[in-house]
Amino acid sequence: MVVKRGTNDGQIVPMARYFRDHFDGQVMLRFIEYMDVGATNGWRMDEVLPSSEVIERLNAHFPLEPLEAAAPGETAERWRYRDGAGEIGVISSVTRAFCRDCNRARLSTEGKLFLCLFACHGHDLRALLRGKGACTDDQIRSAIGAIWQDRGDRYSELRGAMAAEPGSGSRRVEMHYIGG
Ligand code: SF4
């Protein structure tokens, strides 16, 4: 659930209740902070409801306790219901950025590799596959490794500074282009 203050935050508790009451605890509902992905969603910071507030609201109805991360680079913080009714996750992409542990890359349908959800440019992998003198699998693997090694993306940690940069938001890739 993407939580947007003033739009759907009244549904946090009903959503949690629904997932508690169905699925025998087998489906983990995750709440993610509303983000400024792309340049067309009219994002405003005052519409972001911090995950800490999501936890606070849920805890008042269904007491929660934190759990250890399931894997390194896990984007969601895990919480379990104290009564054993399952888990939820919260993704604090705005208020508690986790770029230093980020291990995600995204590939567009045109074969461009984006190293960050907020990137302005992708790396053209299709050219390696289809260009003159197409690369071998090993060469492509090495090229991807080199691109990743050179990565310096940490948009969410720099959000405030980048938002202040004139025109910086206009070039970010849209989520539908890279598949979310
Ligand atoms: S802002 Fe970019 S680098 Fe930071 S966590 Fe999100 S995708 Fe990863």
Side-chain angles (χ1 to χ4, degrees):
M1 175 180 174
V2 178
V3 181
K4 191 172 176 186
R5 190 193 291 279
T7 298
N8 65 351
D9 56 316
Q11 292 303 308
I12 292 170
V13 172
M15 282 282 278
R17 182 174 289 115
Y18 179 81
F19 278 81
R20 279 172 53 90
D21 291 349
H22 300 76
F23 313 117
D24 294 325
Q26 298 301 305
V27 179
M28 188 205 295
L29 175 62
R30 287 177 163 181
F31 298 89
I32 184 167
E33 291 174 352
Y34 174 46
M35 291 188 286
D36 48 339
V37 180
T40 56
N41 70 351
W43 181 86
R44 296 200 330 250
M45 185 65 201
D46 62 2
E47 291 177 329
V48 177
L49 188 96
S51 295
S52 55
E53 205 173 318
V54 172
I55 294 297
E56 211 173 284
R57 291 192 194 186
L58 289 176
N59 197 46
H61 294 264
F62 316 114
L64 289 162
E65 62 188 9
L67 290 170
E68 292 293 319
E74 183 60 81
T75 53
E77 291 165 27
R78 298 168 58 212
W79 293 75
R80 69 179 287 278
Y81 294 114
R82 286 179 187 268
D83 65 3
E87 287 183 29
I88 60 148
V90 290
I91 305 175
S92 313
S93 31
V94 176
T95 60
R96 288 183 62 187
F98 40 79
C99 299
R100 68 199 62 220
D101 295 323
C102 177
N103 56 12
R104 309 295 167 94
R106 293 162 177 90
L107 189 62
S108 76
T109 52
E110 294 174 319
K112 290 199 175 148
L113 185 68
F114 286 82
L115 306 182
C116 176
L117 200 51
F118 301 89
C120 299
H121 307 287
H123 299 260
D124 190 3
L125 297 187
R126 186 173 63 176
L128 302 180
L129 281 169
R130 297 196 189 158
K132 271 189 187 167
C135 296
T136 64
D137 287 355
D138 280 346
Q139 288 170 324
I140 292 171
R141 189 176 298 119
S142 298
I144 293 172
I147 291 168
W148 187 261
Q149 287 297 324
D150 207 27
R151 178 178 192 258
D153 302 81
R154 55 190 190 103
Y155 176 84
S156 285
E157 291 180 348
L158 303 173
R159 176 174 278 107
M162 294 186 77
E165 201 176 294
S168 62
S170 61
R171 302 183 309 272
R172 290 197 300 270
V173 66
E174 295 296 334
M175 190 178 270
H176 58 77
Y177 181 72
I178 51 173

